[in-house]
Amino acid sequence: MANDAFTERGPNNSLTDVGRIRVGHVTLVSGDGPLVPGRGPVRTGVTAIIPDDDIYEHKCAAGVHVINGFGKMTGISQVEEMGRLETPIALTSTLCVWHAADGIVDYLLRRHPDLGRIGPTCNPIVGECSDARLNDMRGRHVRAEHVLDALDRATRAPVEEGAVGAGTGMICYEMKGGIGASSRTGRSSVLDRAVTVGGLVLANFGRRRFLRIHGCPVGTLLDEAAAPRDAAEPGSGRGGSVIVILATDAPLTARQLTRVARRAAAGLARTGSVYHNHSGDYVLAFSTARAYPPFLGDEDDLINPFFEAAADVTEEAVIRALLCARPMTGRDGYRVEALGAARLRDIWDRWRRRPDAAPGSATTAALDLEGLVGPRVLD
């Protein structure tokens, strides 16, 4: 009986630990002061994910899960129907979805002269979250050329996280959010090789009082410690959204990848998400494996490690988005503070010294911030 587990972080703890995946950002920041619709201030961007060097020719098995469908993620109905991914993925601001789709189509048209002529068309995948609280969203400042630039910049380096690319203007748990990434790796007894599961989130969701990190009620403790003027604004967490991208180099089927995608919700829930009415929460999972048979079976010990890893990388990617982001002031002078590693460590230390903390429990354990986000975030 197999007893696989994917519990170790990948070499870069990033989506780019999987296969030949590359990720690139374009960040657009300009202007200050009052909102002038169509002009600024601008706090937005785009993040591009290239699953394979030639995804149009080497399509990936894929699955989709919609946790709460208050959103505008393009192309997912065809992924659900056909079980495959055939274009790069773009993440951006809500009203720029169609510009981003144009950019993906332009990217593929330049590389494939037969596309739409004697070859098949393409199905661009674009996910979105609203950055309207910090950004002049009516200006639709992300254009097709920015998507092309992000695709050209895409590398296999560790994903830059925080308020970059699509995450530039995003707010998570009423603090600065954005892009986060993580990965898990372990040995598959069936494949007789190492397997990696990676994730990337665009985090723009949640009410601060619900935020929990490894069981610590961070949001509640933040509000308890805040001066009245620093407390979260009433109603400021009414909606928001999250896009989760999961990938593995294991040869999973589209059906299995859909099942893996569903487990991202467990990771989001660990951080405090309850998928509010106006939250658009979407998960796309794909495999970079080109040689499919034999597929992994659905026996508990074989498929459960993928479920566990999907939850783990999603949870950690959200935490990393919060910790990597920096404070930002946007339109109309609205400022969003960051959680920050030092602030989290202080909250954790106060929590673990509570009189009711049981000796030896998780409550009394030290928080491994360096393991969680790496030394560069703690600098």
Side-chain angles (χ1 to χ4, degrees):
M1 178 71 70
N3 190 26
D4 298 339
F6 312 143
T7 57
E8 298 295 320
R9 293 184 175 101
N12 293 314
N13 197 18
S14 192
L15 179 68
T16 51
D17 288 333
V18 179
R20 297 161 294 278
I21 295 174
R22 292 180 285 144
V23 178
H25 302 294
V26 167
T27 300
L28 303 176
V29 175
S30 64
D32 292 294
L35 172 66
V36 180
R39 294 179 58 187
V42 178
R43 304 287 189 273
T44 193
V46 60
T47 296
I49 302 166
I50 302 178
D52 188 275
D53 292 336
D54 190 352
I55 182 65
Y56 179 74
E57 293 291 345
H58 301 288
K59 297 172 175 55
C60 295
V64 172
H65 177 54
V66 180
I67 302 171
N68 194 65
F70 192 82
K72 299 139 193 78
M73 192 166 186
T74 68
I76 60 173
S77 61
Q78 183 170 312
V79 175
E80 291 175 324
E81 185 70 23
M82 305 302 295
R84 66 189 186 189
L85 176 66
E86 60 186 33
T87 73
I89 302 159
L91 308 178
T92 192
S93 173
T94 302
L95 296 184
C96 297
V97 165
W98 301 275
H99 288 169
D102 283 342
I104 291 174
V105 173
D106 288 347
Y107 174 83
L108 292 175
L109 286 172
R110 294 178 184 182
R111 284 159 177 76
H112 299 280
D114 289 340
L115 193 159
R117 187 172 64 89
I118 59 173
T121 60
C122 61
N123 181 48
I125 304 295
V126 183
E128 54 78 27
C129 293
S130 172
D131 51 18
R133 193 64 190 86
L134 291 169
N135 176 51
D136 166 36
M137 201 160 66
R138 287 181 62 92
R140 304 180 71 200
H141 298 282
V142 174
R143 312 287 183 174
E145 57 264 31
H146 296 122
V147 179
L148 289 166
D149 192 7
L151 288 163
D152 288 342
R153 295 184 188 188
T155 73
R156 296 202 56 206
V159 175
E160 187 179 358
E161 296 167 271
V164 296
T168 302
M170 301 303 169
I171 300 171
C172 185
Y173 289 110
E174 300 172 47
M175 293 172 285
K176 193 66 194 74
I179 296 291
S182 184
S183 67
R184 292 293 183 271
T185 188
R187 188 163 188 82
S188 166
S189 56
V190 174
L191 296 175
D192 193 28
R193 65 169 173 85
V195 165
T196 302
V197 177
L200 181 148
V201 301
L202 178 60
N204 187 57
F205 67 96
R207 297 178 180 174
R208 186 162 76 177
R209 69 179 186 271
F210 295 142
L211 174 61
R212 302 183 72 88
I213 293 180
H214 293 183
C216 176
V218 172
T220 298
L221 295 173
L222 280 170
D223 281 344
E224 287 177 357
R229 67 179 183 277
D230 296 326
E233 287 187 0
S236 57
R238 67 179 288 274
S241 299
V242 61
I243 306 295
V244 182
I245 306 297
L246 298 173
T248 182
D249 54 7
L252 300 187
T253 66
R255 183 185 63 81
Q256 289 171 323
L257 289 161
T258 300
R259 299 186 69 206
V260 170
R262 292 186 189 123
R263 272 61 185 186
L268 295 173
R270 289 177 191 168
T271 71
S273 176
V274 294
Y275 328 120
H276 281 109
N277 185 49
H278 287 98
S279 189
D281 308 320
Y282 294 80
V283 188
L284 172 68
F286 64 90
S287 169
T288 62
R290 291 186 179 180
Y292 289 105
F295 293 105
L296 294 180
D298 285 346
E299 294 83 359
D300 288 352
D301 288 343
L302 297 177
I303 197 68
N304 280 341
F306 293 94
F307 294 167
E308 294 158 8
D312 288 345
V313 300
T314 301
E315 176 190 19
E316 189 161 290
V318 171
I319 298 169
R320 288 173 63 93
L322 286 164
L323 292 177
C324 292
R326 297 293 178 261
M328 179 173 285
T329 301
R331 51 170 275 200
D332 301 318
Y334 185 77
R335 181 173 175 82
V336 180
E337 298 298 335
L339 174 58
R343 198 178 182 193
L344 176 58
R345 182 185 283 113
D346 177 67
I347 291 169
W348 184 279
D349 288 344
R350 285 192 287 114
W351 180 58
R352 66 193 284 245
R353 291 195 298 267
R354 295 184 313 173
D356 60 342
S361 69
T363 305
T364 60
L367 181 64
D368 179 18
L369 274 174
E370 184 164 338
L372 181 62
V373 296
R376 69 179 180 85
V377 179
L378 304 181
D379 293 341

